[in-house]
Each structure stands twice: as C-alpha cells, then as structure tokens.
Amino acid sequence: SSDLPTNSSNMAKAHELVVYVNGKRHHLPSGAADWTLLQYLRHVGLSGTKLGCGEGGCGACTVMVSRRNVQTGKIEHRAVNACLCALYSVENCHVITVEGIGNLRRGLHPVQEKLAHAHGSQCGFCTPGFVMSMYALLRSKHEPPTEEEIEEALAGNLCRCTGYRPILDAFRVFAKADTQAYAQELGGNGVQGVTSGGIESGGKKICPGTGLPCENGCSRQKVCSRSEAHDGKKQNVDHNNDDAELIFPPELMTRTPEALHLPGKTCTWHRPTDLTSLLDTKQQAPNAKIIVGNTEVGIEMKFKHAGYPQLVDGSAIPELNEIHVVEESLVVGSSVTLSTLVDYLRSNTQCKGTDMAVAFLRQLKWFAGLQIRNAAAIGGNICTASPISDLNPLLISCNATFEVQSKGNTSRFIQANAFFLGYRKTAMQPEEVLVRVHIPLSKPFEYVQEFKQAHRRDDDIAIVNAGMRVRFKPPEGADPLWLVEDVAIAYGGVAPCTVIARDTAAFLVGKPWTQDTLRIALDIASQEIKVGKEAPGGMVEFRNSLVTSFLFKFFACSGLKLSSDAGEQAVGEMPAGARSAAKPYERPPSKGLQYWGPPADGRKLCDERIPVGEPVMHMAAELQVTGEAQYSDDCWPAGTLVGALVASKYPHAKIVSIDPSNAIVMEGVHGFFSARDVPGSNAIGAVALDEECFATDEVTAVGQPIGILVAETEQQARAAALKVHVEYEELHPILSIKDAIAANSEYEGEGHSIVKGDARSAFDSGEYLIMEGECRIGGQEHFYLEPQNTLVVPGEGSEISMFSSTQAPMKHQKMVASVLGVSANKVVCRTKRIGGGFGGKETRSFYVACAAAVPAYLLKRPVRLCLDRDEDMQTSGHRHAFLCRYKLAYTAQGKLVAIDAHLYNNAGNSLDLSTSIMDRALLHLDNVYNIPHMTCKGHVCKTNQMSNTAFRGFGGPQGMLVMEMILEKVAASVGKSAVEVREMNFYKVGEKTHYGQALENARHLDCWTQVIENSEYHCRRLAVDEFNRASKLRKRGISVVPTKFGISFTTKFLNQAGALVHIYTDGTVLLTHGGVEMGQGLHTKVAQITAATLGIPLSSVYVAETATDKVPNASPTAASASSDMYGAAALDACQQLVARLKPYMDKLPGKTFKEVVNAAYLDRVDLSAHGFYKTPDVEGFGSCRPFNYFCFGASVSEVEIDRLTGDFQVLRTDIVMDAGNPLNPAIDVGQVEGAFVQGMGWCCIEELVWGDSEHKWVKPGQLHTRGPGTYKIPTANDIPIDFRVSLLTGKPNNRAVASSKAVGEPPFFLSTSVFFAIQDAIRAARVEDSNSLDFTLDSPATPERIRLLSADKLTGWQIAEDIRPNGSW
C-alpha cells in the first residue's frame, strides 16, 4: 500500500511538479504537503535511504539535493536530511541517493569503494548516509577538501558500530594532505604504519591499505580491497571524471520556481515567489508556518503531533535570499541558509576575519550537523525563539536589528534585545514576516565571543550558551587603562527565552578591564542570571556555574586581545589562568594505528589459499555502501497494512476502560486489536511469562502496549492511534533503584550470591583499614541505527512468516506461536541482517512481532510495525543502571583483603534477562584482582520502567566498574598511584576466581605490560603532571585499566549451535547457521572457516539468511560466543563433507573441487550436512566453571578537561586486546574500536534522564532523553584524537575454533580508561585549589559532573565538598 496521494490528472503542464531523482524525471503527486522526501524515496523503491530517527539527528537519511541558485545561476550541491526535507521543497531540484552514484553491477563510486575496502561498514544501516555526506562534500568543492572539512561534513552522521576511525581513514584519501603525515610509530616495538600511500618506513615497506609492515609486497587490493563477497562481474567506472557523475538535468537549468498553491487533506502548501505574495498569504492566514528547511516544523509535526494546515515555502523569494554588506552592517535575508551564511562570512572581504564573523563561524560550526545547516534558515532559528538557540544570544550581543514587514505596511525594525518576549514568543505580530537581519560589523577594539556548552561538542543542543561583545575606548587621563565603552551580554539555556545581563553590562560600562572589575561583574552576573531549583532541564548548579564561567572566559579572551592590539598597559593584571581560560577549543584531525601479527601458522598476510586469519572485507560491505543491502523494513509485499501501538501514558495505573470508537471509523483503518483479540496466550516473556502482549487490567510502565491500531498507511495508523481513548486510575509508581530499596521491591528469589572466604572475620579482625561507600552507574540506550521493526505475513491455514530485526529468531518463533495459539512448526522467522543490536534485539524485539502478529493473523493480511525512535527508546529497554553499596577491608599498602558488596540493578517492570545480567555482574566483580574474602549479593529491583535488558557486556562492565571505582579510592586513601595498587592486586596465572574457576592461560599481565610499553605510560604520566603544574584551568589526566571477560552463556543450555552446509554441483557452497549478522562480521568469519575447511575460495561460499526453518532452536546471537559456536558448528558440518569427499579426492588428485564434487554426486553421496556444537565443560552460574575461557585486555587513555565548562577531549588511547589467533584481524580491530567508543559513550557522554524524584521537571515514568536531540552518543569528533589498537600476538586459544577468541564484548570495558583519566584530571584540579581529594565521580562522567567536581575559585562559584549531581540510577 502507498501512503502517497495519487498524481493530479488535471494539473496544468505549466504547474507540473517536477523533481529529478538519480537522473530520472519524476512527477510529484498532489496533496502531499505534509510528506517528507524520505517517505517519497522509499515509496518509489529507493530503500537505501534509511529512517533512523526522523528528526535529522543521525544522518542515516542523508541525500544530496542539487539546485540552481536563481540569484547567482550556479548549481549548488548540498547534503540534507531526507527525513525532514519537505517533499515539495525539492520541486525543481535534482535529488541523488546512494543508489544513484554506484552499484555492484555498474561499478562502485570511489567513495563507496574506499569505505567498503577500509572496513568502514559493519551493520551497514548508517553507511548510505556516510557515503552521501562524503559524496555531497566532494561535489560541492572545487578542490579536494581538507581533513578538517571531511570530519565536519560527517558530524551530522552517527555510527554505533565502527567507532568512526575506519570511516575517517577511508575518506581521508580524498583530502589534500601529505601522506607522510599519517605515519605513526607504535610505541615500544618499532613497528610503523600509515593509512595511505605506499611508504617506506624504518626500512620496511608499508601497506597502503592497512598501514602495517608489508612482508610480501601486497597491494592495497590484496589486503584491504579484496572482495570475495560476491561473484558478479563488476566494471570499473572512472568516477574521478566529472562525466561519470550524474549531471544537473538540463531541464532544470531553464526552469524557474513558480508560485504554487497545493491544497491537501490535512495541509496546504504555498510557494510564493515574491515578497508581496508572501505578505498576502500571511495576511490571509496569519497562523501559517513559513518554512525553508523544515528542521523545526517537521519535528513538531511528527513528534509533537502539531497540525499546521498552512505551510509556506519561503525559499523562492529573492528578497529573503539576499546577503550583502550595507553601510557597515551585514544584511542577511531571513531565508538564507546557515551554510550560505558560513560561506559568505568566510569569503566576503568586509566580513572575513572580523570578530563578529569569527564568533558566528565558531558558533555555527557546532550548530547541529552540516545537513541541518544546509537546509535551515537564519530566520527560522530566530522566529522559533528557542530558549537554547545558539545564534540568538550572539545576535543580541552584536546589536542586531530584525526587519519585519506585513501587507500594506513599511518595514518595522525591532532590536534583537527587545525581540524575545517569552517562551517561543516574539515581538512580531501574527501577520508579520521577518524579512532581513541587520548585524553591525565589528569596529576596532571591539571583541565578540561566543560560548556553548553541551553534552557533546558536535551536533548537540546547548545546555547553556552565550554571546558577549565589548568595545573599548582609550583612556582620557593619565591612567593607561582603557575603559569599556559599550558591552552586551546575553545567555541562552537559563530561562524560558534568551536573557540579557543588563545589570552586569551597566556596571561594566566605563570600567577598566581589571581583576577588581571582573570580581564585581562575576558577583552581579551570578545574582542577575540564576536558574531556579525546579527549572525544566535540571542541572541547576551546572547551568548557574556556566554563567560565571563564560563571563570569566570572555574577560580573559577580550583582555588578551586588547593587550595585543593596544599594548599590555591597556588592561590590568590578568587573573591567574587567563591564558588557559581563553584557549579556544582545538581538535586536530584524528589519526590511528592498528596492529596485528602474521597468522600463527607462519603464513604471510594475504595468502588467498587459506582465508582463516585473513583481514578480508565484510562480505556484505559492498552491498551496504551502495544501499543494496536489504533490512527487514525495506520490502513490503502487496497489501501490507501498517500498525501503530497504543501505549500506556502512566508508569503505574489501572485500566478503567479502552474506547477505540473514534479511531476505527477513521479513513483507512482496518481495526483496533487488544488483549481480548489475542487468539492464543496473552502471556509473553524472555524467561518468565511475566509480561503481556497487550495490557489487560493494569499498566506498569509508560510505553507498555495496550493495543495496536492497523490501517492502510502509517500516517493513518498513527493518527488513529491517537484517537483511542484509554481511561486510567493512577497508582503509586516506583521509579528508581532507591525507590525500590525503600519499598523492598525486588524480584523474589532472583538475586543470587557468591561467597569466597570469610569477609566478616576480616572486617572484625581490626587488622585492616575499612572503607564503606556507594557507587552509582547510569544506564545506556542501545541506539542501534535501525529501529525495532517486523513484518508478519500470514500464509495458508495458520502459517506465519516473519521478517524481523532480531538477534533471537527462535524467541520470535516461540512467542508468536504462543500468542497466536499455533504450533511452532507453522511459524518461521527470517532475519537477513539487522542494523545493529548490541543486546537490545535479543528479547525486547519479540513484543513488536507479537503485537503485529495478532492483526496479521486475524485479518489475513501482512502487517508491518516499525517503532519511531522515540517509541523505541521509551519502550524497548536499556542497559541496566546499577547501584552498589560496599564495605571493604584493605591494608595500608593498598592490598585488598575483603569486600562485602550488594549490587542493585533496575530491572524494570518485568524480569526479562535481569537475573542473568546480575549474575554476570557478580561474576565480573573481581575483574583481574585476587581478593581473599568476597561476599557478593545481587538485588534485582522491580520498578515502573519498561523492562531493561541485555546490552554489550551483559552486566559485566557494571561489575568491573564497581571494583575499579573502589580500587581508585583505595589508591587515594593510601597515597599510591592507581597503577601500583592495581598491579599488587593482580591475579597470578592458575589462581582461582571468587567463584572457583582457575585462570588458565591468563593474559592480563601480557596485555598490561605491552600497553604500558606501547603507550609510553610512565613518561607521559610525568608529562601530564608537568602540564598540570603549568595550566590552571585546563587539566590533563591519564589512566590505565585492565579487563577480564568470561566467554559463554552463563545459562548452560544456551551454549549450543547448529549450521547447515550444502555443496552444489558447480562447486559453490550455501551456508546457513543459527547466528544473526548484525555488523559484527559473523557471517564473514563463519564463511572463512567454511572455505578454509573445504579448501575453496571464500567467493565460493554464500551465507543465506538466518531462518528458523533451516536451523532450529538456535540460541540468541549474544554473549560474544557466536563465532565460537557457529564457527565450530560449520566446521563440524564441513568436516563431515570432507570425510565424504575424501575418497574422491584421493581417486582424483589434481582435480578441481567442482570435479571432485560432481564425482561424488554421480556416486550418490550426500552433499549436505548439518553441523552441531556444544561448548564443552561449562556448567553455568553457580558452578566452578561458568566460562569456556577468558578474554583479556588493557588500555591507556589521556584526556584534557576544561575546569570552567566540564568539556573534555580524549587526546590518545592505546589498546592491547587478547584475541587469540584472530579469525579476521581487520574485523576484530573494528570490534575493538567500536566497543571502546560505545563504552566511552556509556561512561562519559550518554545519560538517560527519567521522570523520577531527582528530575521532577520530567513527567513521572517518562524518558526525557528519547531521541538524538536529547540523548547523545559519541560522534566522530569524540573519539580519541590518536587511536591505537594492537591485537596481542602469539597467544593462541585452544578452547575455540581456529585458536581464536571472542571480541564483541570484551573490549567494551576498556573505555573506562577515559572515565578514570577524567577522574585523574579532576583530582589535579582539586589539588590546584586545595579541595578535598575525597570525592566521588559517578558514571557517566558528563560535563556537568566534571565541572562541578573540579570547580575553580576564580569565578566566585563555590564548590560544595559533598556535591554529587543528580542522575537516574
């Protein structure tokens, strides 16, 4: 079914709505004013453009839009977010999607090729967006871009898998740069590497593909670009030739925008082409919304369900698109996009280099992503009147004037400082239009500074921002100090609208720039601008502190500038730390090095005969970079209906009544289905059946499904779902771990214990130091780029087929069969690939399938259900928040003796996997430390949040982080370095853990020693200390952290796997196994094992989709054990086949595999085998051997923090990871980097904010951070500037296939080296001001916590010794 209206047959040819897509002419339909470009593209079959968030925050929907600038006549190429771009706004444009630039049959574009061959695509869902961002950058430039421009162009694209490094490396080849700049020595071992060129280094040839020493003269194609993922013929296309690119259609060169009036059922689209027509439209429809990029209105319409019956496109009006300098003012038309403004400020000679221009450029660099800046207009940003607008404080401080006009009236000029009246309220009248913005150019001795602090640097909304300007005049008397002639200070993020510090400014006028002046100004500002205790947005202390921090920075910056321009005598003595306070944010392009040794059997790299151990490309990489890789939401059969969930609005309530009567009569609706319609059992659950498919009498969390509304289109379904009326009777909710502890709300019998030795006796002995405390660790959203979705297709009788984005097809099969009341043999779940999972699609995906299955079964129609990003984040669970209360005994030297630890996790409203997650936390509490006496008790807390679930590490990282937090406190207590205390507590090889498993072949000391040597830790420790002595307001920290991670499911029966291998008579092999490909390279690795065992090229192996009718009863793809288990199962099947073929190989020496196979076939030999594997020896939780083996690793990270703002950068990270003999070292390195960056998000950036007792400004039980606008995962700007990864060499693992080791989860915890480096820097800051060193840094280490814990005394803001910022634990 199509959501799109049909084409209007009577539309006059002169008003034909024309757009070109990938060079083909399209006629846009009428009545689609409320449609986005993304909806249209996917409707016409261009599914390479993905829906990741729907709010322009992830970049998965990036396309390039080319249009002719009517004013200049030039063609402009811009990357935009198709999910926000209004469909009619691209009329007269050429849209290019990922499918349009290259594919497997006609050849890959160099951008696609480089990304695939550099291992820059894992799950692949985000990949088309990255490709199109880079492609648009190249098309928009007349010369090669710089590395900085490449990183800036990718700032609006998110990736959850790769850690960004391979993406940046892939695209770096397009930059104008010296290839020698990439050569970096890997500390301590003399190995060198580069990422481009074929460079001699240290007497060794360097592979241009990997940056590694090349021993056999391989080319880039041999190591990095070899693709054996498909056998189709592929032509090489010279895309460096402009003739190979899609040209701008000649028809569009002659077409000019015409006035449009396009009525629709819900919305009318207007496109005036002159100012008079625009004013007429606003006079007739004062409430009409004028849009250019639709970056604000589009979000309001989708997520806030705002109805705007009149939309006016302001992009075609010449007067609104002008930008020029007139009489010492920059005049900017209100429809000028932010990117156009940036280009003008950089190029116009009158603006370039002025303080005003520089301030705007710096602020715009961090204003959303490039795709948003390419579309959004300055007028929209102003008229939205957002209290956190980045530009409005600058406009106010620069004395900007806004020119507005209405029909029949001359222009009216409003000063920016009088324009913003309240929350999203301005001084404009409804019929008025903002026409131009007048910004005075900076004068001599006038300085402008912009400020912004956010959760992360790139593409983030401000917590607090500011714009400040000061103009000095020379002294009139003998005093050499210059005086303030004029000053303006404005803040955003501290009130319902942008506010002006009028009292502070009034005080400063006529004053010299001295420390006395600063001290009084800081005091006035802190009283004048103050965030209230219960203010929306929270973080009250932090926001108030930023008010004075920004003013101090402004004083320092302006003072140094005046000193430079007018002489040192013009200002008073600058305060201590002024230079470090004034230092602007700088980040050089990132770089990295990846090292792995040669295969363990002594082969050289690139031996094509034996693919195991080779760094071959992900088998689907080329499909992913071209957009040809299909995901479960990409293909719908004819007649598919669309579902929308009706979910609870309260965290705990009785359901009094459900009335769908107003919904089911709406157009296109096929029905509303709830618990009473479930054909089978309404009880579902991951382990215990303690959930409901649809709530019956009571809801226990916001977002809990009550029913599903099914309609012909998604818009119809969502609109109707809003009309279902549910009456509730509210009940008391439990919203946090602390609430649960107070109410004794736990899942009875689910909290297990581990006891070793006698901790109580150690505490009572009086021989040891005793420490008691509490650790708090926040949760984490999975933020897989592909949202939860499923397609349920009924077959004949009671047959059901599902195409689901899940890590556990068997669970889907089992639960859907139960809900429908049919046997499992009639239900098939198929999964080709998923766009990221990380544990979030192990158990929390089947409720989506169950909900969709009910109407599909009853209506006998296919039903698709895809959650919006905000629904997904609210309802599908997260990494568990943890709280630990502990008591510790230790010696004066720092040796740990005994611990009694009570761990609490927030399970949510159902048990899900929380017991097993707590079990793994208890098993990993020791990390790599031998503690003689341990008593560990888990508490699984029952709360009124949607159930939390598996996430990479499965509780292990939380357990290890608790121990590392405690160990750091011990080190501080005994006055020793954390490194020394860690080393004295290490396990020795052969010692037993607290649960009784011996550490066989332990590698933690190998990793630890090597990473300290590679990173030159001890020298850099001294350098960090020296830096901190010289810098007052910027501090550095460095930390080294080890890890030990157990591999196996801790539930014994899950440690089994199956595989099915078919050999065909043409010599090719079809492989199917029970594991799911989610970007981790599982299919590639298992195919490598298959090819190596059969002795055939990897190109002869094809991996089919995962399906329950091929390999039954498969365990979830989880626990990092999939390569071990499914690789071993495939090995078993292949060994059976080899045994059957051996007689024919012996009879036919020298014959090809195909010939041998045909000989066996003619002799009636079975050429199909089912392989099976069960992990030996493991016995699960409660035994002395819960794990098959351990993975080890260590990392060193160095950071720099800004004490005034809490901002931080990761300067360098070194990792050494124990991966055994890698099955595929390139994929393994990618897993290490991706896990590290994801982990860094967990412990340093990402913060879930719930409506609970510590966040009363959020509705109870609501998740505030439910989209990329409010929840921030790391971007390419957040990764370590210098990122070095080494795989431990010469350490095979005899307990897994091909002596390899798991690598998905074990590296995750190494990211805490960043957390503890930040803590180290905070400690240096507290030493600076003689603050207590007994402080607690909770996780995550957000800018708020960094700022409050390292607070200075210079700004007059006093730190509370026991401060501990709020969090949702």
Side-chain angles (χ1 to χ4, degrees), residues 537-857:
M539 298 182 284
V540 172
E541 296 91 346
F542 180 42
R543 289 156 72 189
N544 283 331
S545 77
L546 291 174
V547 170
T548 52
S549 290
F550 289 166
L551 185 56
F552 184 93
K553 280 178 169 283
F554 177 60
F555 185 91
C557 292
S558 301
L560 292 173
K561 289 178 182 179
L562 181 60
S563 177
S564 175
D565 292 346
E568 294 182 1
Q569 73 284 353
V571 297
E573 182 181 354
M574 297 298 290
R579 291 196 178 275
S580 59
K583 181 183 176 184
Y585 178 89
E586 294 176 346
R587 179 186 169 91
S590 62
K591 58 186 178 181
L593 188 146
Q594 307 81 45
Y595 176 78
W596 59 82
D601 57 11
R603 289 181 292 113
K604 294 180 178 180
L605 285 171
C606 308
D607 187 338
E608 297 184 2
R609 298 167 300 171
I610 308 176
V612 167
E614 289 295 304
V616 300
M617 182 176 64
H618 191 294
M619 293 181 73
E622 292 188 341
L623 289 167
Q624 290 167 188
V625 298
T626 59
E628 296 172 87
Q630 291 191 344
Y631 299 79
S632 55
D633 195 45
D634 285 343
C635 295
W636 310 352
T640 298
L641 300 176
V642 183
L645 292 177
V646 176
S648 168
K649 297 179 180 178
Y650 294 93
H652 195 194
K654 289 183 178 179
I655 298 176
V656 177
S657 64
I658 304 172
D659 181 8
S661 58
N662 291 332
I664 59 178
V665 297
M666 295 176 67
E667 181 183 3
V669 172
H670 282 251
F672 171 75
F673 302 86
S674 61
R676 67 182 182 181
D677 301 299
V678 174
S681 171
N682 193 44
I684 59 175
V687 178
L689 297 179
D690 60 347
E691 300 181 52
E692 293 180 305
C693 180
F694 299 119
T696 50
D697 302 319
E698 186 177 309
V699 290
T700 53
V702 174
Q704 182 178 351
I706 295 173
I708 184 171
L709 199 294
V710 178
E712 293 285 340
T713 73
E714 182 175 353
Q715 281 183 312
Q716 290 170 342
R718 291 193 177 280
L722 294 174
K723 297 295 184 180
V724 176
H725 178 72
V726 181
E727 186 178 347
Y728 303 89
E729 180 184 323
E730 288 190 66
L731 301 172
H732 177 72
I734 294 174
L735 301 174
S736 66
I737 293 176
K738 288 187 176 181
D739 287 354
I741 293 172
N744 196 28
S745 179
E746 296 184 16
Y747 288 93
E748 188 175 350
E750 298 298 334
H752 300 149
S753 299
I754 299 176
V755 177
K756 171 190 175 184
D758 186 354
R760 180 180 295 276
S761 295
F763 296 141
D764 295 342
S765 69
E767 299 178 25
Y768 308 110
L769 300 175
I770 302 296
M771 176 187 295
E772 296 186 65
E774 181 179 275
C775 303
R776 303 173 186 173
I777 301 169
Q780 184 182 21
E781 160 62 24
H782 301 86
F783 214 99
Y784 29 71
L785 267 292
E786 178 199 25
Q788 299 273 11
N789 70 88
T790 194
L791 172 67
V792 181
V793 182
E796 66 179 30
S798 55
E799 290 181 349
I800 291 288
S801 293
M802 284 176 288
F803 300 85
S804 296
S805 182
T806 178
Q807 296 172 240
M810 177 199 172
K811 288 184 183 290
H812 276 229
Q813 177 194 34
K814 180 179 179 180
M815 285 294 103
V816 167
S818 174
V819 166
L820 298 184
V822 303
S823 56
N825 60 355
K826 296 181 181 179
V827 178
V828 178
C829 182
R830 308 178 192 277
T831 302
K832 183 74 173 178
R833 62 176 58 83
I834 66 176
F838 315 111
K841 295 177 181 177
E842 181 177 347
T843 59
R844 301 318 300 164
S845 56
F846 65 67
Y847 83 90
V848 178
C850 291
V854 171
Y857 183 79

Side-chain angles (χ1 to χ4, degrees), residues 257-592:
E258 297 183 3
L260 296 177
H261 175 77
L262 303 171
K265 290 183 180 179
T266 61
C267 183
T268 297
W269 182 270
H270 305 267
R271 185 175 71 188
T273 54
D274 58 69
L275 182 58
T276 300
S277 300
L278 173 63
L279 298 179
D280 284 343
T281 301
K282 279 293 282 181
Q283 182 69 29
Q284 296 167 14
N287 294 324
K289 281 285 186 178
I290 301 176
I291 64 173
V292 176
N294 201 39
T295 55
E296 179 72 21
V297 171
I299 292 174
E300 292 176 352
M301 292 174 67
K302 181 173 179 62
F303 295 105
K304 299 180 181 179
H305 311 297
Y308 295 120
Q310 308 287 335
L311 294 177
V312 183
D313 182 358
S315 65
I317 301 169
E319 296 94 327
L320 304 190
N321 284 283
E322 296 173 350
I323 180 169
H324 49 261
V325 174
V326 178
E327 296 180 356
E328 298 187 346
S329 283
L330 174 64
V331 181
V332 186
S334 59
S335 290
V336 170
T337 66
L338 300 180
S339 288
T340 301
L341 176 59
V342 167
D343 293 342
Y344 191 86
L345 292 172
R346 286 174 175 168
S347 60
N348 180 267
T349 55
Q350 293 172 280
C351 294
K352 189 176 180 179
T354 64
D355 249 52
M356 178 275 291
V358 170
F360 272 92
L361 285 172
R362 284 194 299 243
Q363 195 74 313
L364 287 168
K365 177 178 173 63
W366 310 117
F367 188 109
L370 182 60
Q371 297 95 319
I372 295 292
R373 298 197 297 272
N374 285 340
I378 187 172
N381 186 260
I382 293 168
C383 294
T384 298
S386 169
I388 52 174
S389 163
D390 291 339
L391 294 187
N392 291 342
L394 261 182
L395 290 166
I396 290 172
S397 65
C398 288
N399 278 345
T401 303
F402 302 147
E403 180 182 349
V404 303
Q405 197 171 346
S406 60
K407 183 179 179 181
N409 296 304
T410 58
S411 294
R412 184 165 73 98
F413 295 87
I414 308 173
Q415 288 294 118
N417 59 17
F419 188 78
F420 304 102
L421 305 180
Y423 181 71
R424 297 188 180 271
K425 183 180 180 182
T426 72
M428 289 175 60
Q429 298 302 312
E431 69 277 6
E432 288 184 316
V433 171
L434 176 63
V435 179
R436 299 178 186 88
V437 181
H438 301 256
I439 310 171
L441 300 181
S442 304
K443 296 178 172 60
F445 305 108
E446 185 171 45
Y447 308 115
V448 182
Q449 198 73 28
E450 85 299 334
F451 300 98
K452 176 179 178 177
Q453 185 56 47
H455 292 285
R456 72 177 182 217
R457 175 63 60 170
D458 257 338
D459 191 12
D460 195 1
I461 57 176
I463 297 170
V464 176
N465 52 31
M468 302 184 188
R469 176 187 56 84
V470 63
R471 186 169 66 248
F472 293 98
K473 62 181 180 179
E476 298 175 356
D479 192 332
L481 295 175
W482 286 46
L483 303 178
V484 175
E485 182 178 11
D486 187 31
V487 65
I489 301 169
Y491 289 95
V494 294
C497 66
T498 305
V499 296
I500 304 167
R502 300 183 190 275
D503 293 345
T504 307
F507 164 76
L508 287 171
V509 172
K511 301 296 191 300
W513 214 240
T514 64
Q515 290 194 50
D516 287 341
T517 300
L518 171 64
R519 179 177 51 78
I520 298 172
L522 290 171
D523 185 58
I524 295 173
S526 66
Q527 298 302 316
E528 181 181 14
I529 309 294
K530 186 173 287 189
V531 181
K533 288 185 178 181
E534 301 299 330
M539 298 182 284
V540 172
E541 296 91 346
F542 180 42
R543 289 156 72 189
N544 283 331
S545 77
L546 291 174
V547 170
T548 52
S549 290
F550 289 166
L551 185 56
F552 184 93
K553 280 178 169 283
F554 177 60
F555 185 91
C557 292
S558 301
L560 292 173
K561 289 178 182 179
L562 181 60
S563 177
S564 175
D565 292 346
E568 294 182 1
Q569 73 284 353
V571 297
E573 182 181 354
M574 297 298 290
R579 291 196 178 275
S580 59
K583 181 183 176 184
Y585 178 89
E586 294 176 346
R587 179 186 169 91
S590 62
K591 58 186 178 181

